[in-house]
Amino acid sequence: MIALAPRRLSITDNSSAAGAILTVDLSAIRANYRLLAGCLKRAACGAVVKADAYGLGAAHVAPILYREGCRHFFVAHFEEGLALQTVLPPGVSIFILNGLPFGWEKVCAETGLIPVINSIEQLNAWTAEARRASRILPAALQIDSGMARLGLAASDVNLIAAEPERLAGLALRLVMSHLACADDPGNGANRVQLEAFRSLRARLPAAPAALANSAGIFLGPDYHFDLARPGAALYGLRPVAGASNPMHPAVRLDARIIQIREISEGTPVGYGHSWRATRPSWIATISVGYADGWLRSLGNRGAVYFEGVRMPIVGRISMDSITADATAIGPKRLSPGGLVELIGPHQPVDDVAEQAGTIGYEILTNLGCRYYRNYLDA
Ligand SMILES: *Cc1c(COP(=O)(O)O)cnc(C)c1O
């Protein structure tokens, strides 16, 4: 008797079976890094790769940025930092923006990851670990310069200034703050935060400083300090609201048509019958839904494109599919199995976001895990 091994069908490498294909253009991300670094002159250009590089895949993105010369990486969570260490050479600086969860100081000290200290409690826990282990530990200090989100208040900075031994055992690798209104260059809050950051950091021991996110880089050299922390612009999002976008688009999303049907005038489409045909129409059902991050707010608002022709989304967004009005194209040119563009040259991420009532960041970080992912690098 011959025991037969169960046959397993592997389709994971077959994009033609996928409901939708996400293409990430790594060479565009490289070009964006070079463009941002070129704006900076003296300051170094870091990279924010939190939330899996804004949904695009930190394991792919971080190494190519390293090859472009990036040596400072930022993530939000400790575990993101651990994952990043496995894809980057030793010696890079990986900062944990949200700081450490209490109780994880000993583990973190062994990794070399750099916690961003946001409060006196976090500072005390980190210096206590330095004492316990008799080691000098790397640290970044975040100052709240006017956002009331994360970071040391002015009174905390004054406390440290008055009692510098509070930093004993730490190698201060960065003093940073974050801008609340950087994407709105005319907003006076930017200058106010800049002045607050300047005066507060001057009370701390000398260390490299960082203030600018993507949009902050475009506020000009006053905001650059020693290191910039762009995220969004690396991934092609428009850094300054209302202005033209100098960045290279890095994402393309194409989804498959799974059915085409002809309906008569008055026929309702989708959940809740929220749309009705006002003329005989062709409806294409497409294999992407809110479970893939195609937000439900795009129902009866958004569109997809076929060879540059707009097909309005009609009816609600379902979990796994959407319906679009294909009447302008008709059944001769469309067929099940074909692809339509959801994000691409006819519809950049920022435009999708606007139609969905959100920002490009939310569209990217919601990109689904069911997509076939295609990474291009020239
Ligand atoms: C997310 C984040 C950034 C990156 O901001 P972008 O607008 O994506 O460039 C920079 N700094 C901090 C503290 C952040 O949380």
Side-chain angles (χ1 to χ4, degrees):
M1 284 276 286
I2 301 165
L4 289 177
R7 276 183 59 171
R8 263 195 254 129
L9 184 64
S10 171
I11 56 164
T12 53
D13 52 356
N14 188 350
S15 68
S16 67
I21 299 166
L22 180 73
T23 305
V24 178
D25 185 349
L26 295 173
S27 48
I29 297 175
R30 277 188 213 275
N32 289 334
Y33 182 83
R34 287 195 295 267
L35 195 157
L36 295 170
C39 294
L40 288 171
K41 315 217 160 43
R42 270 185 16 262
C45 191
V48 180
V49 294
K50 62 193 179 190
D52 202 23
Y54 292 40
L56 304 192
H60 293 270
V61 167
I64 61 119
L65 292 176
Y66 179 86
R67 288 205 292 279
E68 291 296 327
C70 184
R71 294 294 179 269
H72 303 85
F73 294 85
F74 293 83
V75 292
H77 291 231
F78 179 51
E79 287 196 300
E80 293 181 317
L82 291 177
L84 196 60
Q85 277 187 318
T86 67
V87 300
L88 286 173
V92 298
S93 299
I94 301 176
F95 297 91
I96 313 295
L97 290 168
N98 280 11
L100 285 183
F102 286 103
W104 287 85
E105 293 79 12
K106 182 167 183 285
V107 181
C108 183
E110 280 153 21
T111 64
L113 296 170
I114 307 171
V116 174
I117 307 285
N118 290 307
S119 69
I120 295 290
E121 292 74 25
Q122 287 182 348
L123 176 63
N124 293 344
W126 197 228
T127 52
E129 176 56 28
R131 267 196 310 282
R132 194 199 60 77
S134 304
R135 286 178 59 183
I136 301 290
L137 295 177
L141 289 184
Q142 173 149 228
I143 297 171
D144 173 29
S145 59
M147 190 173 176
R149 186 179 72 168
L150 281 171
L152 301 161
S155 56
D156 298 328
V157 173
N158 290 337
L159 186 66
I160 296 168
E163 300 168 13
E165 65 277 9
R166 285 179 174 271
L167 296 173
L170 302 189
L172 199 51
R173 300 277 292 275
L174 189 67
V175 174
M176 59 171 274
S177 190
H178 192 51
L179 296 164
C181 307
D183 62 338
D184 177 13
N187 196 314
N190 293 319
R191 268 277 132 205
V192 173
Q193 280 198 266
L194 175 65
E195 294 312 327
F197 181 57
R198 275 185 178 147
S199 93
L200 289 168
R201 81 172 273 244
R203 288 172 223 171
L204 293 168
L211 179 62
N213 65 338
S214 299
I217 293 172
F218 293 91
L219 292 176
D222 281 358
Y223 292 80
H224 294 170
F225 292 89
D226 303 300
L227 173 67
R229 305 183 309 267
L234 288 173
Y235 311 117
L237 296 182
R238 179 177 52 210
V240 181
S244 65
N245 187 356
M247 311 315 298
H248 304 271
V251 181
R252 182 176 171 115
L253 179 61
D254 297 281
R256 201 170 298 287
I257 299 169
I258 43 183
Q259 187 165 9
I260 299 170
R261 70 171 70 242
E262 190 175 19
I263 59 173
S264 54
E265 183 181 336
T267 306
V269 173
Y271 282 121
H273 290 177
S274 67
W275 188 85
R276 262 170 219 278
T278 55
R279 53 171 183 181
S281 302
W282 285 91
I283 299 295
T285 303
I286 295 155
S287 189
V288 69
Y290 61 75
D292 304 297
W294 201 250
L295 302 184
R296 202 164 168 278
S297 54
L298 289 163
N300 288 316
R301 290 181 59 90
V304 302
Y305 286 79
F306 177 79
E307 292 176 357
V309 180
R310 188 170 191 273
M311 293 167 49
I313 294 173
V314 295
R316 291 192 187 148
I317 307 292
S318 296
M319 185 185 291
D320 313 298
S321 63
I322 59 175
T323 35
D325 183 351
T327 313
I329 299 155
K332 287 213 183 71
R333 289 167 63 208
L334 283 179
S335 55
L339 293 170
V340 291
E341 172 192 328
L342 278 76
I343 297 172
H346 300 95
Q347 181 158 263
V349 185
D350 291 302
D351 291 9
V352 175
E354 220 159 274
Q355 300 197 59
T358 182
I359 53 176
Y361 298 67
E362 193 176 27
I363 300 292
L364 290 187
T365 55
N366 274 288
L367 290 171
C369 52
R370 295 194 290 193
Y371 298 144
Y372 177 86
R373 285 175 174 242
N374 195 11
Y375 287 89
L376 305 181
D377 200 356

